[in-house]
Amino acid sequence: MGRCFDNNEKVVVPINIEDIKFRINTEEHGSEIEFRLLEMILSKTFTLLFMLNGGAAVALLAFLGNYITYDAASIRGMLWALGFFAVGAALSVAVAALSYISQSHYCRGTNENIMYMDMTLQIGEPIDGGILVPKDDTLKYEKEITRRLTKGDRYRTKAIVVCVCALICFLIAVIIFSYTIY
């Protein structure tokens, strides 16, 4: 966003009123679609990770019931594999929580942007080359939008890292299980 300051501490937003109205409409519609899409992805990711690790743990318990020998090493290996499956299932819940928090920050950032554009329409003075708005209001909204999007990015990164950890737990458990039964 280009800025030009005058003596009244105002900022020129280089955009016309029709563009702002279009962007408000587009952002409102786009944020609804984005939220539904990410909600769907979140539910699928959670379901798949939980089923992957939880299902493997249940299958391991069923196998353990039929496999029971009095060999302490094999039972210990099975328990380690079961532990990793359980940790992977727990991490899938953490992925769901982190993804929800991330999406919440993105939606709030989008809402702040819509409110900023609406404020620009309401209190801005149309001039050649844009709309003149108070500097303090502009800086407040820019800081809030940036803060929300940055938090959303951080939580998204954490969710991705935890998701990878859940997959690693699954792989470690499979490796432990395969070495245990051979």
Side-chain angles (χ1 to χ4, degrees), residues 49-160:
L49 277 175
F50 194 76
M51 284 175 36
L52 182 71
N53 284 292
V58 169
L60 179 62
L61 285 173
F63 180 77
L64 186 60
N66 292 330
Y67 180 77
I68 291 200
T69 63
Y70 294 100
D71 180 19
S74 64
I75 290 178
R76 194 175 352 203
M78 296 279 188
L79 291 177
W80 272 103
L82 184 62
F84 275 101
F85 285 135
V87 169
L91 288 176
S92 68
V93 174
V95 168
L98 291 169
S99 298
Y100 175 80
I101 293 169
S102 172
Q103 184 56 32
S104 172
H105 285 295
Y106 285 133
C107 287
R108 286 181 172 175
T110 300
N111 288 338
E112 288 290 332
N113 195 24
I114 291 169
M115 289 180 356
Y116 168 70
M117 288 186 283
D118 191 43
M119 180 268 312
T120 302
L121 281 178
Q122 291 178 11
I123 65 173
E125 303 169 27
I127 60 169
D128 287 339
I131 297 175
L132 200 59
V133 293
K135 176 184 174 186
D136 291 340
D137 290 339
T138 300
L139 293 177
K140 179 185 89 170
Y141 279 107
E142 283 181 356
K143 275 198 326 193
E144 186 62 24
I145 292 166
T146 302
R147 186 178 75 82
R148 292 285 182 195
L149 295 179
T150 302
K151 276 188 163 185
D153 286 343
R154 272 193 237 124
Y155 279 103
R156 182 187 67 201
T157 302
K158 289 175 185 177
I160 291 168

